[in-house]
């Protein structure tokens, strides 16, 4: 048995309150989950590409896209309070019961159309070369967060960091945030840190290939960005 087997886990529960049916809603003509599944398979990095879901409808679409559904997600892990880490551990434990274990794991969100096979290949190679706890795609803040404001209860705006009020923006240190697309783990280290990884290597991605999708407006912006990205690759 190979000791470096890898699994891609696409987490796609059925409940979605802000955008109903979000994980299988049509995105540029295809169910949005299809993009994550297709690129994971295309990357050639994974011995298993599976979808963890509690929804029969999602399971059917996922299977038609080429993903495996060896078991359905439990009601507890499909609740609003269940975390991604808890879901991943549940999946790994279920595979262990089936006699299958993996060295590396990639959690891919089902609403991540900007994930590409090339990005996954780069992340998996970086994991094999550097062996950190976790690898995360990150994007630089477009406006320096050091100059952010908050609004008090009386409606007045204040600088959050007064010490940066008169600083030149070009002098600020660059800050980054999670792109919300996928996460690569060394599974042994994932268990040891109980999902609370500190040893993280980032992969910096362009802002035009990142979009949170929590509202209908976000969805429309994501489709525009995706179409622009596709034009660049033609």
């Amino acid at each position: 048995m190979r000791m470096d087997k890898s699994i891609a886990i696409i987490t796609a529960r059925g409940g979605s309150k802000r955008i109903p049916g979000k994980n299988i809603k049509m995105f540029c003509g295809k169910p949005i989950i299809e993009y994550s599944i297709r690129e994971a398979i295309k990357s050639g990095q994974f011995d298993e590409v599976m979808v963890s879901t509690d929804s029969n409808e999602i399971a059917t679409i996922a299977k038609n896209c080429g993903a495996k559904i060896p078991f359905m997600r439990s009601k507890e892990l499909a609740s609003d309070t269940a975390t991604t880490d808890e879901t991943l551990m549940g999946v790994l434990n279920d595979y262990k019961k089936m006699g299958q274990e993996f060295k590396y794991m990639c959690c891919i969100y089902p609403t991540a159309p900007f994930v590409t096979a090339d990005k996954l290949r780069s992340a998996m190679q970086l994991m094999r070369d550097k062996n950190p706890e976790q690898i995360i795609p990150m994007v630089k803040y477009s406006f320096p967060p050091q100059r952010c404001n908050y609004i008090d209860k009386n409606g007045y705006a204040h600088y959050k960091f007064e010490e940066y009020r008169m600083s030149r923006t070009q002098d600020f240190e660059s800050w980054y945030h999670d792109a919300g697309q996928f996460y690569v783990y060394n599974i042994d280290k994932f268990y040891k840190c109980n999902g609370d990884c500190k040893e993280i290597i980032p992969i910096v991605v362009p802002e035009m290939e990142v979009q949170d999708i929590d509202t209908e407006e976000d969805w429309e912006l994501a489709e525009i960005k995706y179409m622009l990205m596709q034009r660049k690759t033609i």
Side-chain angles (χ1 to χ4, degrees):
M1 176 186 288
R2 281 179 44 213
M3 301 302 292
D4 63 344
K5 292 178 66 178
S6 302
I7 182 171
I9 301 172
I10 299 164
T11 54
R13 70 188 184 94
S16 178
K17 294 182 172 61
R18 287 178 291 191
I19 302 179
K22 174 181 177 179
N23 291 331
I24 51 176
K25 181 178 167 70
M26 299 300 284
F27 182 94
C28 292
K30 299 175 183 177
I32 194 166
I33 195 173
E34 181 175 333
Y35 296 88
S36 297
I37 296 170
R38 181 186 66 197
E39 295 303 311
I41 294 171
K42 183 180 174 182
S43 74
Q45 298 297 297
F46 308 107
D47 297 275
E48 185 97 331
V49 175
M50 69 88 67
V51 171
S52 172
T53 186
D54 60 317
S55 163
N56 289 326
E57 185 178 9
I58 292 175
T60 298
I61 291 173
K63 286 178 183 176
N64 289 339
C65 294
K68 294 183 179 179
I69 314 284
F71 41 77
M72 300 296 285
R73 194 189 302 190
S74 69
K75 185 180 295 185
E76 293 75 23
L77 291 177
S79 69
D80 291 336
T81 58
T83 66
T84 298
D85 287 343
E86 288 170 341
T87 299
L88 295 176
M89 287 184 180
V91 169
L92 293 174
N93 289 335
D94 282 341
Y95 269 101
K96 276 187 180 180
K97 293 173 185 175
M98 296 166 54
Q100 296 189 58
E101 295 191 52
F102 303 89
K103 183 172 183 178
Y104 303 117
M105 164 178 66
C106 182
C107 170
I108 307 174
Y109 284 143
T111 52
F114 300 104
V115 171
T116 65
D118 284 342
K119 288 175 185 172
L120 294 171
R121 289 189 197 105
S122 296
M124 292 298 294
Q125 188 60 54
L126 189 57
M127 172 57 74
R128 287 189 287 267
D129 291 343
K130 301 293 186 180
N131 200 35
E133 291 176 347
Q134 187 179 31
I135 291 172
I136 302 178
M138 294 186 180
V139 61
K140 187 171 85 169
Y141 281 97
S142 57
F143 182 85
Q146 296 94 326
R147 289 286 293 276
C148 71
N149 287 258
Y150 70 93
I151 300 174
D152 67 22
K153 62 182 179 180
N154 297 314
Y156 289 91
H158 304 273
Y159 283 96
K160 180 68 175 177
F161 306 106
E162 276 291 337
E163 65 269 31
Y164 296 128
R165 182 171 184 167
M166 303 304 294
S167 300
R168 300 187 311 163
T169 56
Q170 60 264 42
D171 293 333
F172 289 134
E173 176 185 46
S174 294
W175 288 3
Y176 299 81
H177 64 88
D178 179 358
Q181 297 179 355
F182 66 89
Y183 309 92
V184 175
Y185 301 88
N186 174 305
I187 292 176
D188 284 342
K189 292 184 176 183
F190 175 72
Y191 274 117
K192 287 176 183 175
C193 70
N194 198 31
D196 185 19
C197 300
K198 299 291 194 298
E199 190 183 79
I200 300 168
I201 294 180
I203 290 180
V204 179
V205 295
E207 187 179 357
M208 279 301 292
E209 296 178 16
V210 176
Q211 179 64 50
D212 282 338
I213 306 179
D214 294 321
T215 66
E216 293 292 346
E217 184 180 49
D218 290 341
W219 195 279
E220 292 175 8
L221 286 171
E223 287 188 309
I224 291 169
K225 285 185 174 183
Y226 179 80
M227 287 186 284
L228 288 172
M229 184 179 81
Q230 291 302 107
R231 284 182 197 171
K232 289 181 180 179
T233 59
I234 293 175

